[in-house]
Amino acid sequence: MKKLVYDFSEGDKDQKDLLGGKGANLAEMTRLGLPVPPGFIITTEACRHYLKSGRQPDDLRVQVTMALRSLEDQVGRRLGDSHDPLLVSVRSGAKFSMPGMMETVLNVGLNDFSLQGLIEASGDERFVWDSYRRLIQMFGKTVLGIDGEAFSHALDATKSRKGVKSDVELDIDDLRGLVDEFKVIVKDHTGRDFPQDPRLQLDLATRAVFDSWNTERARLYRRRERIPHDLGTAVSVCTMVFGNLGDSSGTGVCFTRDPATGVPGVYGDYLVNAQGEDVVSGIRNTLSLEDFAEVDPASYKQLRQIMRRLETHYRDLCDIEFTVERGKLWMLQTRVGKRTAAAAFRISTQLVDEQLITMDEALQRVTGAQLAQLMFPQFDVRAERVLLTRGMAASPGAAVGRVVFDSAAAVAWAARGERVLLVRRETNPEDLGGMIAAGGILTSRGGKTSHAAVVARGMGKTAVCGADALDVDAAAKVATAGGVTINEGDLLSIDGSTGEVFVGEIPVVPSPVVLYLEQGLDVALEGVDEGGADVVRAVHRLLEHADSVRRMRVRANADNAEDADRARRMGAEGIGLCRTEHMFLGDRRVLIERVILADTAAERATALEALLPHQRADFEELLTAMDGLPTTIRLLDPPLHEFLPDRADLMVEVALAEADGGAPPERVRLLAAVNRLHETNPMLGLRGVRLGLTVPGLFALQVRAIAEATAALKAAGGNPLPEIMVPLVGSVMELHLIRDETDAILAEVRESTGVDLVIPVGTMIELPRAALTAFRIAEVAQFFSFGTNDLTQTTWGFSRDDVEAAFFASYLEKGVFTMSPFESLDVDGVGRLVDIASREGRGARPDLKLGICGEHGGDPESIHFFERTGLDYVSCSPFRVPIARLEAGRAVTGAREDDRSDDDEIKRG
């Protein structure tokens, strides 16, 4: 019998694959001797079997019975017994944290019979009726699929009749009446009575948790977080402890450090006389942990000790859920807490200074995506502003947008290009689509541990929560605060670092992190508060460490001296791609037109000669900006028609002119050239190396300009290091022909100037054939640069401009992609071609230099693949250079950590 159920005492934190994050950490806390209610875990293997076959494994019912009886023996109570019954919670828990995305059912085992036994055992009839109405409400929504609004409306109506605002103000008779109403709702919606069999409740709740793995919101969250869809969830079945047993009871969530800022201290929320979902849902505004210390000093002191112990044990920020039952503290969950980008950098360096982790480990605690968030602009503190209200600073950043009051509107407005802010009383998991679409989130209820706050921090979204002066009426699409009315479509600005909400749009200024990267640490620290200064210092330390350990170099894609200068300030160690076609735009378009329109070789030579001084000057500026650093210059790549007027527009112009008495001859001639060069699929037509071989003198012009610029700079004492890159090569013979022409020109310039010119010549690998024949191409090329944008297009057979809008959304929805292959490298397909070309290219030429200059050069996940493949450098946009530096370092330290884990596994084995 395959083991599918584990007691809490049988697992540990390293079994997340099998027991899920929640189950593994409950087992770990049990192992540490912390006060954890007893329970057991149904494994992810059982879930995967259920999801694949549509039924639970045959052995599961028996193993659950054995585990349940063992639990009953341990606590001295039986599930749903009529005398002092055992009640349990049934909670999801995947390997990776997915807060609020899957289901939980509390108070399982309570029914019309066990209700009386619980009243006798607890001596608190109100608590029992409150627990029963919670079970029916949660079970009805989660397990039976009833719209939660049916229960919410009944609850709100009861409070309205009673004239109260809070659930805790309802008395026994009110709650008894609600139970009866809720039962009617269940019967009306399902045609069946609420199930009274405790074991049936447990089995149905377990199945509902399994099913919740594939809800739309769960799949949407996994797509965003790049979590595989085939992992499944474990189910934790835990003895219920009750925070709703009066004023000596309560429930809370805490963090060992502030997850929004990283500041050490006590952070969390607590609710007296409540169950866990009350805190997370944000339906009641919470007390702080300082308030908890006054309400229950003994439990608070014990909690602080446990917080310190868990943070030391996990060596990281911990997110903890707890309940106090009549003065007894119970630990219900812990996990490494989600945090904002600022908190991630700050906490990682704090833990180094506290000697809990190494700098290598600190580098693994931050990501390039988080660094990118820190580089976004912030509100200008000098700008005029009109304060609307304040809430809790739940997730930092500056967000401006038009107000919408529901998730569907946020998605629709964002789809048409609007910046939106999602404004709600509180969010719930059904709002995930709108939260992703919105630039920021504002709620009138909830605290730093509410659903809105936790999910926003995980996604890097700006959020302000618990702005209780804000009265939100989602149905009427209006909110009011301090006499000011905000309608749907009005502009608001929210500051997730201060909790402030402003009317209208506030201008933004560069982030201190960008100032540091471009102008240095001293400039960045001027006028920044201590928290911001700590973040900048943390970024500085971790980037320096990344630079010290990384193997791959980081270059930038830059087409002019201005971009090159900025890239160099950002830490670029060269240029990996200079697109020379950008040099022919604007006023120079007429010069390239003359090349295209030339009827004779003499006319073409004259036109090319006119371009030479412009190209030479371009390259002198670029090579001066990158003096001493390698600069890869790609010869002309796009089809020539891109330099000519639009064909349809020109046809209309000429036709109208002909009808009006005759078109100018030069426009007729231009139209003829445009028609001659027109292609059905130009991206696979006359472009790249094919231009150099079919338009005499075109590549020769560019090579000569590079050579003469290099010679002039070297003669003046400079150290230019150009590299010539030939695009779209598919055959080694193509490169041979261009290489012969290039070598002849370099020799000629070397002879005429007396300057020794050593300029490497290489090629872009952007066609599958080039990758598969790399062993031949490497005999001629001195370097390869993988053009992964075109390599992705030609491998998949995609025309990027067409397919992204046509069907990528559908492919993501159906799971064909988990991520667009243009955003993160398709490792299995395109990545395999990169690997083949790298290995076989170096087999033919051991000193072959390898780089990548597509957009994937700045993608964190792709960078780790390039490290494993052995590339020498990545090249990306100047703004992403710091991100690539960080990730190149993380790729090295991550590999070290993997090696250590493998060694530990061998030792354990």
Side-chain angles (χ1 to χ4, degrees):
M1 186 183 293
K2 185 176 182 63
K3 190 172 178 64
L4 299 170
V5 181
Y6 286 72
D7 188 86
F8 285 175
S9 62
E10 296 180 298
D12 61 49
K13 64 181 176 62
D14 296 324
Q15 293 180 284
K16 291 184 176 65
D17 285 325
L18 182 67
L19 305 181
K22 185 179 281 99
N25 288 323
L26 281 167
E28 187 74 7
M29 289 195 293
T30 300
R31 194 174 68 84
L32 291 173
L34 300 181
V36 177
F40 57 87
I41 306 149
I42 301 171
T43 66
T44 57
E45 289 181 343
C47 177
R48 289 194 291 271
H49 182 283
Y50 171 80
L51 295 174
K52 185 175 181 180
S53 67
R55 61 184 180 84
Q56 296 180 359
D58 295 336
D59 298 337
L60 184 60
R61 285 182 60 83
V62 174
Q63 293 191 41
V64 169
T65 298
M66 300 296 288
L68 180 59
R69 291 196 174 190
S70 175
L71 175 61
E72 291 173 334
D73 292 342
Q74 189 176 353
V75 300
R77 288 175 281 154
R78 294 180 61 185
L79 184 71
D81 197 4
S82 59
H83 174 70
D84 194 11
L86 167 68
L87 304 184
V88 296
S89 63
V90 180
R91 308 176 76 187
S92 61
K95 175 182 179 180
F96 299 106
S97 176
M98 295 171 55
M101 296 302 113
M102 293 183 292
E103 303 297 2
T104 291
V105 185
L106 305 181
N107 306 318
V108 170
L110 197 52
N111 56 26
D112 293 346
F113 306 101
S114 58
L115 179 130
Q116 295 301 321
L118 190 59
I119 291 173
E120 293 173 9
S122 67
D124 189 335
E125 186 174 0
R126 187 201 175 281
F127 143 73
V128 178
W129 285 106
D130 182 47
S131 299
Y132 200 15
R133 72 92 185 165
R134 289 172 183 269
L135 169 63
I136 300 173
Q137 181 175 359
M138 191 176 289
F139 196 96
K141 178 184 176 185
T142 298
V143 181
L144 303 178
I146 301 170
D147 187 346
E149 290 297 313
F151 299 105
S152 298
H153 287 325
L155 178 59
D156 289 343
T158 298
K159 288 190 287 187
S160 179
R161 286 194 302 269
K162 183 79 172 181
V164 300
K165 292 186 176 182
S166 173
D167 302 358
V168 297
E169 297 175 275
L170 298 176
D171 61 25
I172 294 171
D173 291 336
D174 300 324
L175 294 168
R176 186 186 289 115
L178 269 176
V179 166
D180 291 339
E181 280 193 68
F182 284 4
K183 286 181 178 178
V184 171
I185 291 171
V186 170
K187 181 74 177 230
D188 289 345
H189 282 78
T190 67
R192 301 192 302 268
D193 291 325
F194 176 76
Q196 295 292 309
D197 181 352
R199 179 58 190 269
L200 179 60
Q201 290 180 10
L202 175 60
D203 291 341
L204 290 176
T206 299
R207 188 175 304 166
V209 171
F210 284 165
D211 286 334
S212 71
W213 175 257
N214 275 332
T215 61
E216 176 53 34
R217 68 172 185 259
R219 294 183 69 84
L220 178 61
Y221 185 88
R222 290 197 296 272
R223 285 198 299 270
R224 179 183 173 82
E225 299 297 318
R226 305 189 196 183
I227 297 172
H229 289 304
D230 59 356
L231 298 180
T233 180
V235 180
S236 296
V237 179
C238 185
T239 302
M240 279 296 302
V241 290
F242 300 99
N244 57 333
L245 265 169
D247 291 342
S248 64
S249 304
T251 190
V253 178
C254 62
F255 298 89
T256 55
R257 299 173 195 240
D258 187 339
T261 66
V263 174
V266 180
Y267 296 89
D269 298 320
Y270 184 73
L271 274 177
V272 175
N273 196 19
Q275 287 197 325
E277 75 270 18
D278 297 339
V279 177
V280 177
S281 68
I283 60 175
R284 287 166 57 188
N285 282 346
T286 56
L287 303 175
S288 68
L289 288 191
E290 288 80 359
D291 297 324
F292 175 45
E294 295 182 9
V295 171
D296 189 346
S299 296
Y300 173 78
K301 180 179 179 181
Q302 185 184 7
L303 177 65
R304 286 296 307 272
Q305 292 169 342
I306 291 173
M307 290 170 68
R308 178 177 170 83
R309 186 173 179 191
L310 286 173
E311 183 174 87
T312 302
H313 184 71
Y314 284 88
R315 300 186 304 131
D316 207 344
L317 161 71
C318 288
D319 172 354
I320 299 164
E321 294 181 19
F322 64 94
T323 283
V324 178
E325 181 183 276
R326 288 180 170 168
K328 166 67 175 174
L329 177 68
W330 293 98
M331 308 306 295
L332 303 184
Q333 177 174 320
T334 191
R335 59 191 173 197
V336 172
K338 291 187 179 295
R339 66 210 69 184
T340 65
F345 277 85
R346 207 169 176 184
I347 290 170
S348 64
T349 52
Q350 287 169 358
L351 293 174
V352 169
D353 294 339
E354 294 169 24
Q355 302 182 55
L356 282 173
I357 63 175
T358 66
M359 281 297 290
D360 276 6
E361 290 173 308
L363 202 53
Q364 291 304 303
R365 305 286 177 88
V366 298
T367 67
Q370 289 170 331
L371 179 57
Q373 289 175 30
L374 295 179
M375 295 168 69
F376 293 151
Q378 301 178 353
F379 286 141
D380 186 351
V381 296
R382 299 164 298 182
E384 291 186 11
R385 53 187 69 195
V386 177
L387 181 68
L388 176 67
T389 187
R390 282 188 176 88
M392 294 187 185
S395 185
V400 179
R402 298 196 178 278
V403 169
V404 293
F405 291 97
D406 62 77
S407 182
V411 172
W413 286 42
R416 66 181 193 228
E418 295 275 7
R419 295 175 300 165
V420 296
L421 292 180
L422 180 61
V423 179
R424 305 279 285 160
R425 278 186 293 181
E426 68 273 340
T427 63
N428 61 59
E430 303 301 330
D431 289 320
L432 181 64
M435 297 175 77
I436 291 173
I441 300 145
L442 170 63
T443 68
S444 59
R445 297 177 180 172
K448 285 190 175 182
T449 60
S450 65
H451 175 267
V454 172
V455 174
R457 282 196 295 271
M459 294 193 301
K461 294 277 185 181
T462 300
V464 173
C465 297
D468 50 15
L470 188 69
D471 184 11
V472 178
D473 186 342
K477 298 184 178 181
V478 67
T480 57
V484 177
T485 299
I486 303 297
N487 296 298
E488 185 173 65
D490 289 349
L491 275 170
L492 284 184
S493 300
I494 63 172
D495 190 331
S497 303
T498 65
E500 294 172 307
V501 181
F502 303 101
V503 177
E505 180 171 0
I506 297 176
V508 294
V509 294
S511 148
V513 171
V514 171
L515 290 177
Y516 150 65
L517 292 166
E518 291 196 320
Q519 301 182 41
L521 192 59
D522 292 340
V523 172
L525 295 179
E526 292 177 4
V528 180
D529 62 30
E530 190 54 36
D534 279 351
V535 173
V536 173
R537 293 189 192 101
V539 170
H540 170 68
R541 289 175 63 183
L542 288 168
L543 267 179
E544 279 201 331
H545 186 66
D547 288 340
S548 72
V549 299
R550 63 184 167 89
R551 182 192 60 82
M552 285 194 300
R553 300 299 90 192
V554 176
R555 299 191 192 182
N557 299 341
D559 306 328
N560 53 60
E562 182 181 354
D563 287 347
D565 184 60
R566 187 179 192 208
R568 193 161 189 163
R569 294 198 306 271
M570 288 283 195
E573 297 157 305
I575 289 178
L577 174 63
C578 168
R579 307 171 188 86
T580 55
E581 57 267 21
H582 291 175
M583 298 172 179
F584 294 121
L585 302 178
D587 294 340
R588 298 187 195 171
R589 185 183 293 268
V590 66
L591 298 178
I592 197 72
E593 281 184 12
R594 290 173 186 165
V595 175
I596 299 168
L597 296 173
D599 290 327
T600 65
E603 285 183 10
R604 183 180 301 109
T606 300
L608 289 170
E609 188 66 28
L611 274 171
L612 179 60
H614 297 287
Q615 279 273 269
R616 185 169 54 234
D618 291 332
F619 295 138
E620 283 188 14
E621 288 183 9
L622 185 69
L623 292 169
T624 298
M626 276 289 153
D627 190 62
L629 296 176
T631 304
T632 303
I633 301 170
R634 182 179 72 185
L635 302 181
L636 201 64
D637 182 42
L640 288 182
H641 77 84
E642 291 193 9
F643 301 103
L644 299 176
D646 179 77
R647 180 171 178 254
D649 291 344
L650 193 56
M651 289 173 70
V652 170
E653 176 193 329
V654 171
L656 290 174
E658 292 283 2
D660 198 32
E666 66 272 12
R667 303 305 282 176
V668 174
R669 186 179 173 209
L670 184 59
L671 177 58
V674 169
N675 285 330
R676 186 178 72 250
L677 293 169
H678 174 71
E679 296 175 296
T680 302
N681 190 348
M683 294 311 293
L684 294 178
L686 182 59
R687 53 170 290 219
V689 67
R690 301 159 194 172
L691 281 175
L693 293 174
T694 57
V695 181
L698 184 59
F699 275 14
L701 156 77
Q702 294 192 292
V703 171
R704 183 173 298 278
I706 293 168
E708 291 180 358
T710 303
L713 292 174
K714 290 189 76 170
N719 185 26
L721 299 174
E723 301 171 341
I724 295 173
M725 182 159 68
V726 182
L728 211 72
V729 165
S731 161
V732 66
M733 185 53 66
E734 292 173 316
L735 188 60
H736 260 304
L737 294 170
I738 298 298
R739 181 71 191 270
D740 289 345
E741 182 180 31
T742 298
D743 288 345
I745 294 168
L746 293 178
E748 182 183 328
V749 174
R750 190 181 299 119
E751 179 69 24
S752 64
T753 62
V755 177
D756 185 26
L757 295 178
V758 179
I759 301 178
V761 178
T763 186
M764 290 186 79
I765 302 294
E766 47 194 332
L767 296 174
R769 191 180 193 281
L772 294 173
T773 60
F775 62 96
R776 291 181 180 157
I777 295 173
E779 294 173 359
V780 182
Q782 293 170 283
F783 65 87
F784 286 171
S785 181
F786 292 95
T788 52
N789 296 346
D790 275 354
L791 188 57
T792 297
Q793 291 197 95
T794 53
T795 300
W796 278 90
F798 287 155
S799 169
R800 180 174 183 175
D801 293 339
D802 298 320
V803 298
E804 286 191 309
F807 60 81
F808 267 31
S810 174
Y811 267 38
L812 289 165
E813 173 72 22
K814 297 180 189 308
V816 179
F817 302 146
T818 56
M819 188 76 178
S820 164
F822 293 109
E823 293 181 40
S824 193
L825 191 77
D826 161 30
V827 171
D828 294 336
V830 179
R832 189 169 181 216
L833 291 174
V834 172
D835 181 64
I836 290 170
S838 299
R839 285 186 289 103
E840 297 190 0
R842 280 191 170 146
R845 183 188 287 266
D847 63 346
L848 183 71
K849 185 162 57 178
L850 301 173
I852 179 265
C853 62
E855 290 180 27
H856 301 100
D859 171 63
E861 288 191 18
S862 304
I863 289 170
H864 288 246
F865 169 78
F866 298 137
E867 169 64 29
R868 294 193 301 273
T869 308
L871 268 60
D872 295 301
Y873 69 85
V874 296
S875 188
C876 54
S877 68
F879 183 83
R880 297 188 70 82
V881 164
I883 297 163
R885 289 165 54 198
L886 186 80
E887 288 295 345
R890 293 186 70 246
V892 171
T893 56
R896 291 176 184 171
E897 187 64 33
D898 290 343
D899 289 343
R900 281 192 290 268
S901 296
D902 290 344
D903 291 343
D904 291 343
E905 190 68 32
I906 292 169
K907 291 174 185 175
R908 282 197 297 271

